[in-house]
Amino acid sequence: MDAENVIEITELSKQYPNGKLAVDSLSLNIKRGEVFGVLGPNGSGKTTTILMLLGLTEPSGGRASILGLDPLRSPLEIKRKVGYMPDTVGFYDELSGYENIDYTARFMDFSAEERTRRMQESLEKMRLTKSMHEKVRTYSHGMRRRLGLAEVLVKQPEIAILDEPTQGLDPESAAEFLELISTLNRDENLTILLSSHLLNQVQAVCDRVGLFSNGKMLISGSVDELSRQIIGGQYTVSVIAAGSGLRDILSGIEGVQSVEQAEDWTYRIECESDVRAPLAAAITASGGQLFELSMQQHSLDSIYKTYFKEAANADTSA
Amino acid sequence: MQIHQREGSALTGLKVVFVKELQDYTGSVKMLILIGLILLTAMASVYNAAQTLRSAVGEDPFLLLSLFTVAKDPVPSFSSFLGFFVPLVGIALGFDVVNREFQNRTLGRILSQPIYRDALLFGKVLGAVAALAIVLLALWLLVIGSAILFLGVPPSGEQVARAIVFYLTTVLYGGIWFILAMLFSVLFRQPATSALVAIALWLLFTVFWPMISGLIVQGMKGSVHPLTLAHIQQGLARLSPNTLYGEATLAILNPSTRTLGPVVFTQLQGAVMGTPLPFAQSLLLIWPHFTGMAAGLILIFTLAYVRFQRMEIRA
């Protein structure tokens, strides 16, 4: 599938007046229909990058292009086509949910009927129809997030940029919210750029992710690609077994890349394919006793941790 | 550095912001309380003035205007009440106009709509000034209406013209305090801080500034010519918008006011004391005050505007 790039970022940098380099020559392309996750710890330049895309803050170097438009030249056109939900989504507490998004919807040049129709639709999609005339003050955290997403949907945007969409939500509502996001992506072919520092939570919905640290994107790709790239083997099998010379026996099995003996009886095996059956066979054949055999799949978290451990090691050795 | 030409008008979305702000003000509790307070004090002073003036009906050709200026112990005149309260209304309108959006975290959401920051600030200013103008207009009509009711004398054309100038001056005066409070709301992140700073400044100008300028002039006594000294004292006093407003209302509501500065005896030669000046001449007298206040307003607005444009959305 060769879709066009809807977001192109080339060598983009941002230095704040206090001297802090928030984004450091970042380059990134995002295709239409993709869900791209910008992942990284707090303060790694995720939000600043997003603000530059929308023309809400000026880059100090490099250029960005979104839907072929320059955020410095045509911010209004971009903001008509791109929906944005800030990381700390705030509303006027004294107004109702409906009034809040009615205010922002008025900035789009819809007719009154069109505006009402779109608002009803998106509030329904976000399951807020029942509470839309209550004051936002009474809304729960999850409802505020959904209201924020409803506001984005009123625009019927080509791209939705969601900054930390799951922040402050309990795991259950976070999962529900992410489910909503991937539904939108599937049903309306909406391109989504989302940022998060909770890697595990978002890995399921992202087609591709980019790991951010200190204003740089260290690495990007699909979760599978990253795990191959960073951790070498795709699978890790841990074995608890007693026997002599097991380490050599296990290393000899086809598909095994490395064997690491963690404790007396515990082995960590990196492998390219599922080798559990041959492992078990080899252990029993050598007269050893097998107590436990389990396989772990890599989560983004472990990829991230490994990567940063390596990066830190590289730094100190350099 | 590249020059980027922005596309689209800076005023896109202005009307939306204007309507929203005006709506907010009309329903807000702080405004209702302030308006109630002004209304009560205004009624008291107008009632008092009317009582005093009843005996003078037929003698005073500017009866309507006297209603604004006549004071009877212990209640001050209507115009001095306004000089005191209008700054408070301006501050109440403006002290949290920008930093409230920061506190509510609504700024990012609003600015991600197709709108420039210019339109947001202009819309807020226009909304507040419109709210101020409406409140003062209602008050003004109320006073004139009750004057006709109490005194039974319809106002002449000139009196109405003077009263209209008085109204415009009052709106301008309130506008200055609003813009000043708005500047603080751009400079400080906490609404409490900006409110306190604005009120401190208001106290400085209403209570302490006359004392301070008096002290400065007293210190210079002897080393400069008395007439220069008088000019210096007046110049210092006029730095305060309260003085400007006080002098302007005095000249426009009191047609017999011939000058607002120190006068040498020779300048009065041939003048018939106590005769009223024509409307145009009174207007000429307060024209510098008008331009001075307008210039101050524009200057402060520019500061706030520049600061707001350069502000980073991220704290």
Side-chain angles (χ1 to χ4, degrees):
Chain A
M1 192 179 78
D2 232 13
E4 49 168 331
N5 284 334
V6 286
I7 296 179
E8 287 176 357
I9 300 175
T10 331
E11 303 270 303
L12 198 65
S13 300
K14 170 71 187 183
Q15 188 159 25
Y16 277 109
N18 61 14
K20 190 183 172 247
L21 193 60
V23 175
D24 187 2
S25 45
L26 171 78
S27 297
L28 171 68
N29 291 326
I30 296 173
K31 289 184 173 32
R32 190 177 285 280
E34 223 178 1
V35 181
F36 190 91
V38 173
L39 306 178
N42 295 329
S44 56
K46 295 170 299 192
T47 302
T48 307
T49 307
I50 289 171
L51 291 179
M52 283 193 284
L53 280 176
L54 290 165
L56 292 181
T57 189
E58 267 180 52
S60 12
R63 57 182 304 274
S65 147
I66 181 162
L67 296 166
L69 296 164
D70 180 351
L72 287 177
R73 267 176 158 286
S74 355
L76 294 188
E77 203 46 42
I78 289 178
K79 290 191 271 189
R80 275 192 198 103
K81 293 177 175 172
V82 178
Y84 166 60
M85 186 171 82
D87 50 349
T88 45
V89 56
F91 295 96
Y92 300 104
D93 280 346
E94 69 282 1
L95 299 181
S96 73
Y98 187 88
E99 288 167 331
N100 261 289
I101 67 169
D102 183 60
Y103 176 38
T104 43
R106 279 171 198 272
F107 289 113
M108 306 287 293
D109 305 314
F110 303 141
S111 65
E113 302 91 64
E114 171 83 355
R115 192 175 67 234
T116 320
R117 192 180 57 76
R118 287 186 182 214
M119 281 170 59
Q120 299 282 8
E121 259 176 38
S122 45
L123 283 166
E124 194 165 328
K125 267 181 209 156
M126 291 300 116
R127 300 194 305 278
L128 285 168
T129 316
K130 227 168 59 187
S131 45
M132 68 184 182
H133 290 302
E134 284 164 29
K135 299 247 183 281
V136 171
R137 197 184 296 128
T138 64
Y139 279 26
S140 71
H141 226 94
M143 285 163 81
R144 282 167 192 255
R145 287 277 160 196
R146 294 212 303 273
L147 187 61
L149 200 51
E151 178 183 273
V152 169
L153 291 183
V154 171
K155 278 188 187 176
Q156 301 187 340
E158 294 180 39
I159 303 176
I161 297 181
L162 312 173
D163 199 356
E164 298 275 0
T166 56
Q167 196 174 46
L169 297 183
D170 57 78
E172 208 172 307
S173 3
E176 195 188 275
F177 195 74
L178 290 169
E179 184 52 40
L180 274 174
I181 291 174
S182 44
T183 316
L184 290 174
N185 170 248
R186 269 198 314 272
D187 297 354
E188 316 195 1
N189 196 31
L190 186 64
T191 310
I192 293 173
L193 173 68
L194 61 86
S195 83
S196 180
H197 65 276
L198 299 169
L199 315 172
N200 270 330
Q201 237 176 28
V202 298
Q203 68 170 343
V205 298
C206 294
D207 296 326
R208 279 200 306 147
V209 296
L211 299 188
F212 272 54
S213 171
N214 288 324
K216 286 187 195 248
M217 188 169 71
L218 302 170
I219 190 164
S220 73
S222 69
V223 176
D224 279 352
E225 277 169 28
L226 290 194
S227 72
R228 245 195 307 267
Q229 230 170 320
I230 301 174
I231 311 198
Q234 250 185 302
Y235 304 98
T236 303
V237 177
S238 67
V239 174
I240 302 178
S244 55
L246 274 184
R247 194 190 162 110
D248 293 335
I249 295 166
L250 295 177
S251 308
I253 293 167
E254 200 189 329
V256 172
Q257 289 172 324
S258 67
V259 178
E260 194 185 321
Q261 192 163 10
E263 284 166 48
D264 276 355
W265 290 0
T266 312
Y267 302 88
R268 258 173 67 93
I269 299 160
E270 303 280 338
C271 43
E272 292 169 333
S273 52
D274 187 355
V275 292
R276 280 178 293 183
L279 283 177
I283 291 167
T284 39
S286 73
Q289 289 170 288
L290 177 63
F291 299 117
E292 198 182 307
L293 181 69
S294 63
M295 186 169 77
Q296 301 154 2
Q297 249 170 340
H298 289 303
S299 70
L300 213 46
D301 246 354
S302 61
I303 295 171
Y304 194 65
K305 273 187 200 131
T306 317
Y307 192 80
F308 279 105
K309 209 157 51 187
E310 279 170 13
N313 287 343
D315 270 359
T316 46
S317 62
Chain B
M1 182 98 186
Q2 268 175 288
I3 307 278
H4 296 280
Q5 188 72 48
R6 296 189 309 186
E7 281 170 8
S9 161
L11 300 181
T12 317
L14 178 71
K15 204 181 127 205
V16 182
V17 180
F18 172 73
V19 171
K20 156 87 164 59
E21 290 297 317
L22 197 56
Q23 250 169 11
D24 280 1
Y25 286 129
T26 44
S28 87
V29 179
K30 64 180 180 194
M31 281 306 289
L32 290 180
I33 292 176
L34 269 172
I35 293 167
L37 201 65
I38 293 182
L39 216 60
L40 281 177
T41 46
M43 282 340 270
S45 65
V46 168
Y47 179 76
N48 244 308
Q51 291 297 322
T52 320
L53 288 174
R54 263 195 179 162
S55 52
V57 173
E59 296 163 26
D60 190 344
F62 295 100
L63 203 59
L64 173 74
L65 298 180
S66 306
L67 206 59
F68 290 114
T69 51
V70 165
K72 189 182 148 207
D73 259 352
V75 186
S77 72
F78 178 70
S79 67
S80 54
F81 257 131
L82 281 191
F84 187 74
F85 272 126
V86 165
L88 275 186
V89 178
I91 290 173
L93 285 169
F95 78 94
D96 64 348
V97 93
V98 172
N99 51 19
R100 182 187 54 207
E101 303 269 355
F102 261 105
Q103 294 294 317
N104 281 346
R105 317 239 174 235
T106 42
L107 196 64
R109 252 182 64 238
I110 303 306
L111 289 180
S112 68
Q113 307 307 319
I115 174 181
Y116 282 117
R117 289 185 192 200
D118 313 43
L120 187 65
L121 200 67
F122 290 154
K124 280 175 173 294
V125 171
L126 289 180
V129 170
L132 183 74
I134 291 170
V135 168
L136 290 177
L137 185 68
L139 200 64
W140 185 82
L141 287 173
L142 210 65
V143 170
I144 292 191
S146 52
I148 297 174
L149 208 65
F150 277 135
L151 304 171
V153 182
S156 68
E158 191 192 332
Q159 288 191 79
V160 172
R162 281 177 184 269
I164 288 175
V165 173
F166 169 63
Y167 166 70
L168 291 178
T169 316
T170 311
V171 172
L172 187 62
Y173 177 57
I176 287 190
W177 283 99
F178 162 73
I179 293 283
L180 201 61
M182 189 185 80
L183 173 68
F184 293 138
S185 92
V186 175
L187 293 179
F188 303 109
R189 277 292 157 89
Q190 298 292 335
T193 317
S194 50
L196 276 177
V197 172
I199 287 181
L201 207 65
W202 171 69
L203 267 182
L204 173 79
F205 277 136
T206 39
V207 181
F208 298 112
W209 189 247
M211 298 183 206
I212 294 172
S213 59
L215 271 179
I216 295 173
V217 171
Q218 212 148 53
M220 292 162 75
K221 217 175 229 173
S223 54
V224 275
H225 190 271
L227 190 62
T228 326
L229 200 68
H231 279 298
I232 290 176
Q233 175 160 23
Q234 195 170 38
L236 280 174
R238 280 179 178 170
L239 286 178
S240 154
N242 299 38
T243 312
L244 288 183
Y245 177 71
E247 288 186 1
T249 48
L250 176 74
I252 203 72
L253 293 178
N254 229 331
S256 55
T257 310
R258 310 196 133 246
T259 171
L260 294 165
V263 182
V264 195
F265 194 67
T266 50
Q267 287 174 320
L268 285 174
Q269 218 165 23
V272 185
M273 298 304 288
T275 46
L277 283 184
F279 172 59
Q281 290 300 310
S282 288
L283 203 58
L284 210 59
L285 200 59
I286 67 158
W287 197 247
H289 297 70
F290 226 79
T291 43
M293 285 203 271
L297 191 138
I298 292 169
L299 186 74
I300 300 167
F301 175 74
T302 310
L303 282 177
Y305 176 74
V306 169
R307 189 78 182 75
F308 182 65
Q309 288 287 331
R310 300 215 168 148
M311 200 152 64
E312 291 290 351
I313 292 186
R314 288 206 88 184

